[in-house]
Amino acid sequence: MSTLREQLEQGAAKLGLTLSAEQFDKLMGFLDLLQKWNKVYNLTSVRDPQEMMSLHMLDSLAAVPALQRYVASLGKVPGERTAQLDVGSGGGLPGVVFAVCCPQVDVHCVDTVGKKAAFLQQAAVALKLPNLKGIHARVETLKGPYEIVSCRAFASLLDFTTWSRAAIADHGIWFAMKGKHPQEEIDALGKDVHVFHVEQLQVPGLDAERCIVWAQPAADTH
């Protein structure tokens, strides 16, 4: 585990992230929980701890600087919370990573699989993350308003934005983590969704294309 922690700390440094020892402890604790629960509940198809670190943890961590930057841009006073919905969180990637790295954000992770939502609730208790909540539901049934609605390799942009439409705040943003630049998915979006930025990501130690699609509900034209 010491080698994995070193890899995590080096990855965070490459991303320009400043995390406390306690935050690194929690991220490593999460990795440990994920491995233990995965043996019984099949939370992720990735079994090897080394692959979990590179394909899941660092991949999720790569989006944290962008999320932190956006939350800072909201200009909230100290202590004021930001509400985020992470859709199709599965084993908590990236939801748990976001909750650890952004303590000022309340991260609600929704998944249709009950055992995955239960794992997220357990992780919140075990890792002492009061800002993390697992929800067993279909995203279409949730009401917001959430200022940030995120996902990682969840569904097409059209499905993601359509299903989470009732949950997003009027001035909220969609934050979709994708692999290659998904031009076809962007082209398939209706006029009620405005993609305003596609940000390229570099995952430490991983030679793969990654990006964040930033979008928002289009202004009402009536």
Side-chain angles (χ1 to χ4, degrees):
M1 291 298 276
S2 61
T3 307
L4 290 174
R5 183 178 179 118
E6 191 176 314
Q7 190 179 349
L8 181 65
E9 291 177 352
Q10 289 176 351
K14 284 181 181 175
L15 292 166
L17 280 172
T18 303
L19 300 176
S20 67
E22 184 185 10
Q23 285 173 307
F24 281 119
D25 288 345
K26 289 185 177 185
L27 289 172
M28 292 305 297
F30 170 53
L31 187 66
D32 190 43
L33 275 178
L34 193 58
Q35 288 177 64
K36 286 176 181 172
W37 277 61
N38 207 34
K39 291 171 185 172
V40 181
Y41 289 101
N42 194 31
L43 299 170
T44 167
S45 59
V46 178
R47 297 278 187 232
D48 179 64
Q50 179 63 56
E51 288 191 347
M52 274 187 182
M53 176 58 71
S54 57
L55 296 176
H56 283 329
M57 293 286 283
L58 290 173
D59 193 65
S60 297
L61 202 68
V64 169
L67 181 62
Q68 289 182 339
R69 189 178 67 240
Y70 179 75
V71 172
S73 77
L74 296 175
K76 298 199 172 187
V77 298
E80 192 178 357
R81 313 296 299 169
T82 298
Q84 176 174 358
L85 179 66
D86 192 55
V87 182
S89 284
L93 297 145
V96 175
V97 176
F98 288 170
V100 171
C101 298
C102 306
Q104 74 277 41
V105 178
D106 290 323
V107 184
H108 291 182
C109 300
V110 61
D111 204 281
T112 55
V113 180
K115 62 189 177 184
K116 292 182 178 179
F119 168 70
L120 291 164
Q121 284 291 80
Q122 177 60 33
V125 174
L127 302 172
K128 295 183 173 59
L129 292 170
N131 63 326
L132 174 67
K133 182 180 181 182
I135 302 172
H136 177 213
R138 298 187 67 83
V139 64
E140 304 96 301
T141 67
L142 299 183
K143 305 293 181 204
Y146 289 97
E147 296 157 277
I148 302 165
V149 179
S150 60
C151 73
R152 174 178 176 260
F154 166 65
S156 71
L157 289 173
L158 179 59
D159 286 345
F160 168 55
T161 54
T162 301
W163 294 342
S164 62
R165 189 67 192 226
I168 195 168
D170 290 341
H171 301 290
I173 58 106
W174 282 293
F175 182 97
M177 298 169 65
K178 291 284 183 178
K180 293 180 180 178
H181 190 296
Q183 191 58 51
E184 287 186 10
E185 289 185 31
I186 292 171
D187 292 342
L189 290 169
K191 292 182 179 178
D192 58 341
V193 178
H194 170 55
V195 173
F196 60 91
H197 184 44
V198 178
E199 180 174 348
Q200 296 301 314
L201 296 180
Q202 184 60 53
V203 182
L206 197 63
D207 184 22
E209 288 187 63
R210 294 287 188 272
C211 68
I212 297 167
V213 178
W214 297 82
Q216 61 195 151
D220 194 342
T221 53
H222 298 296

